[in-house]
Amino acid sequence: MKAVWYKATPILMTTLSTILGLLPFLTEGDQEVFWFSLAIGAIGGLLFSLIGVFVVLPVWMLDNNIVSAKR
């Protein structure tokens, strides 16, 4: 758990900067189909990965610690 919280700041800063960098491609919308699709896919993937990093990963680590403590 300590490792997850230690790495939270760089993960959030990188994700936020990438999302902010892709926002101009969303404003062009239908004019640039490739860049619009790329921006939507990348932003969606980054936001979904935050769930994995901050919810799923700690649960898996907690489960692993409980199982190893019972042995």
Side-chain angles (χ1 to χ4, degrees):
M1 291 298 283
K2 188 184 275 188
V4 172
W5 292 118
Y6 179 73
K7 290 294 184 177
T9 303
I11 291 170
L12 290 174
M13 288 176 57
T14 303
T15 302
L16 182 65
S17 67
T18 304
I19 289 173
L20 290 175
L22 290 171
L23 282 180
F25 294 116
L26 295 180
T27 60
E28 298 297 320
D30 298 332
Q31 299 166 356
E32 296 288 336
V33 178
F34 172 76
W35 293 109
F36 181 77
S37 300
L38 177 75
I40 290 290
I43 290 171
L46 286 168
L47 292 175
F48 189 74
S49 72
L50 288 178
I51 296 170
V53 169
F54 292 114
V55 176
V56 177
L57 183 62
V59 169
W60 282 347
M61 291 171 62
L62 180 66
D63 185 40
N64 191 19
N65 289 337
I66 291 171
V67 170
S68 63
K70 288 182 180 179
R71 290 182 187 178

